[in-house]
Amino acid sequence: MPDQLPRQIPISSPVTRSETLTDNPFEDLLPVTTQAVMDRFDHPLSVQSWVMNDPGRRDRCYAVLLLSGRAEIGLRQGTITCKAPALVWLPLGETQRFSVSAGSDGYLLSVADDLVARHCGDGSGVAGGTPAGGGLPLRFAADTVHNVTPAEDSGNLLLLKRSFETIRAELMQNALGASLVVGAHLQIILTMVLRLAEGVMAQRDKHGPGSITFQRFLQVLELHFREHWNVADYATALGVSERRLGSAVLRATGKPPLTIIHERVLREACMRLEQSPLGVAQIAYGLGFRDPAYFSRFFKRYMGEAPGAYRRLRRAAERLRDDTFAAWP
């Protein structure tokens, strides 16, 4: 059988928030089928692919539930490769392409950002008279790339399967109140993202939700901090000016973007020095430094001690803790 050609996900014309919101959630001006599409891939015989870089798809977020097999997701910057079971959330404007290997099983949900904002807002929006998300930072989660792993045969995975299948059924039937049901299950999916994603709540508490520009900056930073991009490179990747990026980061953290970039490199360096058996030079190369001596100067400038001294002090402190508590039952 010949390979299947890449499939294009159906989309609707971009709409504004004012065109879709009404006081009554049952009175949608647009049917939910124009704002969401569910694709079910059920053990295809060959690689199955979707392309999402059409300008008309810029109002779309994507959610992937991979039950078996493997998937590859091309982002604006970088690629995610995942193996089942996996739950992947892809925010507005990030996804370029998606493909699954032969024999894979799962779901691909395409949903307008307007629908996400309506039902999974930051607490200022209202869904059915209740603050969206019940106080959880669902909107913050929805603006961030997530690749999380629900345990096989777990209650979390079962709940996710039910939510994706329910959304699929509601889109097929398009009955009264379908938008409300789809929105409720979007909340469940994003709640599972928060439950399974390590550090999301801590990051939110540290920085606050911030702007979408800042959140996207953090996503791209995770992909490229080892490549030593400068601020201009990040601004180009995000499609904003350096000044706008600087303002967004400064408002969210009180620090300029370059400081946030350097802090991310330093956090990774400290973690590797404390936990990795590799030498300082190998750690420097792994972090994208061409010259270990420059890495040592960079590290000492911010941390006050050379990498080797930092490692010796931390390991000595760890041995002291072990000696202190080793005799405890």
Side-chain angles (χ1 to χ4, degrees):
M1 179 179 292
D3 290 348
Q4 298 181 11
L5 295 175
R7 295 174 48 196
Q8 301 262 338
I9 295 178
I11 59 166
S12 61
S13 300
V15 294
T16 64
R17 186 173 175 83
S18 61
E19 290 175 317
T20 60
L21 297 187
T22 64
D23 293 333
N24 187 334
F26 288 100
E27 296 177 354
D28 288 331
L29 296 177
L30 292 174
V32 70
T33 51
T34 68
Q35 296 185 287
V37 175
M38 179 72 80
D39 278 82
R40 178 80 167 93
F41 47 93
D42 187 3
H43 305 92
L45 298 178
S46 60
V47 172
Q48 197 165 358
S49 300
W50 291 256
V51 179
M52 292 94 153
N53 57 3
D54 187 295
R57 298 193 175 118
R58 290 174 183 166
D59 70 332
R60 297 278 155 159
C61 305
Y62 295 91
V64 177
L65 181 62
L66 189 64
L67 300 173
S68 67
R70 297 177 181 272
E72 183 175 282
I73 304 163
L75 306 178
R76 284 165 51 94
Q77 300 290 333
T79 303
I80 293 175
T81 302
C82 52
K83 179 181 178 182
L87 171 64
V88 184
W89 179 269
L90 303 155
L92 180 71
E94 283 298 325
T95 315
Q96 301 290 303
R97 56 183 175 79
F98 172 71
S99 63
V100 294
S101 61
S104 296
D105 181 29
Y107 302 84
L108 171 63
L109 172 63
S110 162
V111 57
D113 186 66
D114 180 81
L115 191 66
V116 176
R118 180 178 183 184
H119 294 280
C120 305
D122 57 9
S124 59
V126 173
T130 303
L136 289 175
L138 299 185
R139 184 62 201 182
F140 178 74
D143 286 332
T144 310
V145 174
H146 297 283
N147 179 13
V148 295
T149 305
E152 289 192 66
D153 302 320
S154 66
N156 289 336
L157 184 58
L158 180 61
L159 185 57
L160 284 165
K161 289 169 64 175
R162 287 174 177 169
S163 287
F164 275 82
E165 189 58 40
T166 299
I167 291 175
R168 180 169 176 256
E170 287 294 320
L171 293 175
M172 292 175 65
Q173 297 169 10
N174 197 26
L176 178 68
S179 176
L180 194 61
V181 176
V182 170
H185 284 276
L186 277 175
Q187 290 188 22
I188 291 173
I189 291 168
L190 285 166
T191 298
M192 290 299 102
V193 166
L194 287 174
R195 183 177 292 179
L196 296 168
E198 296 181 0
V200 174
M201 292 294 288
Q203 184 183 44
R204 183 244 189 175
D205 293 339
K206 179 179 178 181
H207 295 305
S211 68
I212 291 179
T213 298
F214 170 65
Q215 294 155 12
R216 292 180 59 220
F217 166 69
L218 291 179
Q219 298 162 19
V220 179
L221 177 62
E222 285 301 309
L223 292 170
H224 295 285
F225 72 87
R226 299 175 188 84
E227 299 171 36
H228 296 234
W229 279 16
N230 58 34
V231 177
D233 293 326
Y234 284 100
T236 299
L238 295 171
V240 300
S241 67
E242 288 185 60
R243 182 175 180 179
R244 179 178 171 185
L245 175 59
S247 297
V249 174
L250 193 64
R251 282 196 305 271
T253 67
K255 303 173 184 178
L258 188 60
T259 299
I260 301 300
I261 295 167
H262 286 172
E263 287 180 349
R264 182 64 187 90
V265 176
L266 287 165
R267 284 201 307 274
E268 190 74 13
C270 290
M271 184 273 293
R272 295 188 184 196
L273 288 167
E274 293 172 19
Q275 300 179 13
S276 171
L278 296 176
V280 171
Q282 292 172 293
I283 289 174
Y285 292 133
L287 290 171
F289 289 86
R290 297 180 181 179
D291 181 3
Y294 176 74
F295 166 67
S296 294
R297 293 194 298 272
F298 169 83
F299 189 90
K300 186 174 183 179
R301 185 192 323 149
Y302 284 94
M303 301 301 295
E305 54 196 5
Y310 175 90
R311 168 179 272 175
R312 287 192 295 273
L313 288 171
R314 294 305 180 278
R315 292 187 175 178
E318 188 64 34
R319 285 195 296 272
L320 180 62
R321 285 194 294 271
D322 290 343
D323 292 342
T324 302
F325 296 106
W328 285 64

